[in-house]
Amino acid sequence: MTVPERISALRALMEEKGYDAYLIPTDDNHQSEYVGEHFKARAFMTGFTGSAGTAVITKTEAGLWTDGRYFIQAANQLEGSGVTLFKMGQPDVPTLEDYIADVIPEGGTLGFDGRVVAMGEGQALMSALLPKNGKIDYSADLVDKIWEDRPPLSEKPAFALGIEYTGESTADKLTRIREAMKQEGANVHILAALDDICWTTNLRGDDIEYFPLLLSYAIITMEDMKLYVDERKLTAEMKETLAKDGISIRPYNAVYEDVKNLKAEDSVLVDPSRLNYALYNNIPKGAKVIEKMNPEVLMKAMKNDTELKNIINAHIKDGVAVTRFMYWLKKNIGKTKITEISAAEKLDSFRKEQEGYLWQSFEPICGSGEHAAIVHYAATPETNVPVTTNGLFLTDTGGGYMEGSTDITRTFAFGEITDRMKEDFTTVLLCNLHLARAVFPHGISGFNLDAMARMPAWERGLDYNHGTGHGVGYLMNIHEAPAGFRCAVREKEKAPLEAGMVITNEPGLYIEGSHGIRTENELVIRKGPKTEYGQFLYFEPITYVPIDLDAVKPDMMRQEDKEQLNAYHAKVYELISPHLNDEEREWLKEYTRAI
């Protein structure tokens, strides 16, 4: 079936149900950013495969909303599909809610599968429909009736992290969670976000490609915790450990009926952005619903000393792999055929040589030449091209290790590159350096600091259409709330920066049809001096890979910029060179030389 045929089949089902519009988000039942194959309904219906986007199908129109990372990709993939691209945040582009409020007729009905729409989003849609006396029917997964060969839910086994990795037991985490519940006046806490549940239980899974998450729900009370999961995924030892912590196992989908059976006098703590609309509507009407960010979100974002030590070790391993990859590229480009896909595979092979490596922490982004201007480009057999021998090659990749997850972007220069490319490369480097050296008082959020990164680009009349950074989970989500660097405040990333958080610093520049550049290091937020003005914080870069000096224009840099880069490269050499052979070590000395 083609995309137009699928949309036609969906409209026939909409007619049967009396729907005037049908919403198809990217989410799974847990509001995950990335989803398993079973949940890729939006990609199936529209042909757009990016990680973020929402489709709305009406009786006569079809639209897809996505953000700036995917404008180019979405335009290409939607061509000829009959689906209109709505570029989020652009002038004269309606929001999803405004569009739906406009197209729904008086007394009309919006349909969607309530399991894959967040509670908060469902509430916003309901508010948008009220002026027209519109209704929501969240009971039907219409895509499932069309998707004949839909992949089943994952049945892959779970694995557990010991205290040597987590630094904190599940029992201690539950004590902290219950204290937070008490402070909010709640006696029941419903969890659907996979990373919150995995952090609490110290379990991981393999149910979403690249992300070590376990499909599950949980209900925590002051006395016990129920974990809703396919029991076949757990070993006898895992079940025994969970039981010791007062955690009982229930079938995965039993959570919906169990929520209905909560008492009217219960006070239920839920996170509107991390609980699905169907579960929210199953809470008994008499119960008090307390809408707050899950306490686990901030707890897991502030890594403990054990986690930070492990994360730094993971970055040293990853630094060895990526540095060896950079050396291999520099020595072999133009001598042997290297494509975007084969380069990504070669980098993964270097990571596989590192102890404790599991798998890539997200889908690799490896774009050569003009492909690098597509912010989240992912090569396919149809788009795969040779890596340029005269130009720039962007790689945004990461590794999942038992000690944590990594996320690094490096842009490599080969052969003859233009002055414009060098100017853009150096501008991005300056953006990265400016943010990395920030010192700030506690209470500052990433929103307050984002302009520090963008200033070198703004001074040239340039900008980039994505956030400057995001939190990183410990062998979990590579994009982790509640902090990030962003121009516009997003609810899930507006929290103050806290010591122990790990966050990325990844400015870029993208010149469509020519080249793209991004330079990304992970940062740990550390405590600095405490003065009469409060506790100050600073950033420690923990990504240890050279920034390609072949593309740097030193005359664009001030002395403090050069000293900062030189100090960073000295650290890279100190930590990485002992793990290289003699030839690689000599090469690294050249690529970490002082400028």
Side-chain angles (χ1 to χ4, degrees), residues 267-284:
S267 294
V268 186
L269 177 62
V270 297
D271 188 331
S273 68
R274 300 170 77 81
L275 187 79
N276 71 51
Y277 193 64
L279 270 177
Y280 162 65
N281 280 282
N282 281 8
I283 298 172

Side-chain angles (χ1 to χ4, degrees), residues 224 285 313:
D224 61 14
K285 297 304 177 187
N313 285 337

